[in-house]
């Protein structure tokens, strides 16, 4: 059973959306299956948009806390 869109990461949602688009573009899907995939795709898009909006809000809040903050390159622990 497929995970609910709200339980997927943003990246997982994008991968599934790409697969759905590919399947639909090939045209080998029955009408009923195409409608189900389209409906799933819409749910994935809406959920992904919500996650993006949340991320944008977090960034805006963080930047408001220190208006003089500038963006710097992020160094991982291995570097």
């Amino acid at each position: 059973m497929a995970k609910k869109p709200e339980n997927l990461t943003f990246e997982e949602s994008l991968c599934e959306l790409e697969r759905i688009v590919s399947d639909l573009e090939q045209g080998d899907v029955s009408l009923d299956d195409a409608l189900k995939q389209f409906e799933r795709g819409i749910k994935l898009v809406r959920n992904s948009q919500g996650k993006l909006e949340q991320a944008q809000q977090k960034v805006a809040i963080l930047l408001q806390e220190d208006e003089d903050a500038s963006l710097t390159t992020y160094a991982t622990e291995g570097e």
Side-chain angles (χ1 to χ4, degrees):
M1 183 175 182
K3 286 184 179 180
K4 292 182 177 181
E6 56 270 12
N7 294 335
L8 295 173
T9 65
F10 181 79
E11 292 78 10
E12 289 171 332
S13 292
L14 284 182
C15 287
E16 188 171 345
L17 279 167
E18 288 173 354
R19 182 194 54 78
I20 289 172
V21 168
S22 177
D23 289 349
L24 292 175
E25 284 180 340
Q26 289 179 4
D28 296 334
V29 182
S30 70
L31 179 59
D32 287 338
D33 287 342
L35 287 172
K36 287 177 187 175
Q37 286 187 359
F38 181 77
E39 182 179 6
R40 172 92 174 153
I42 293 296
K43 290 178 184 178
L44 290 167
V45 166
R46 288 182 180 155
N47 190 351
S48 296
Q49 285 175 330
K51 288 181 181 183
L52 281 176
E53 289 171 3
Q54 288 176 348
Q56 287 174 332
Q57 289 174 351
K58 286 180 184 179
V59 168
I61 289 169
L62 291 170
L63 290 177
Q64 285 177 353
E65 289 177 4
D66 185 2
E67 292 180 7
D68 295 329
S70 61
L71 297 178
T72 59
T73 303
Y74 178 76
T76 60
E77 291 180 19
E79 292 181 353

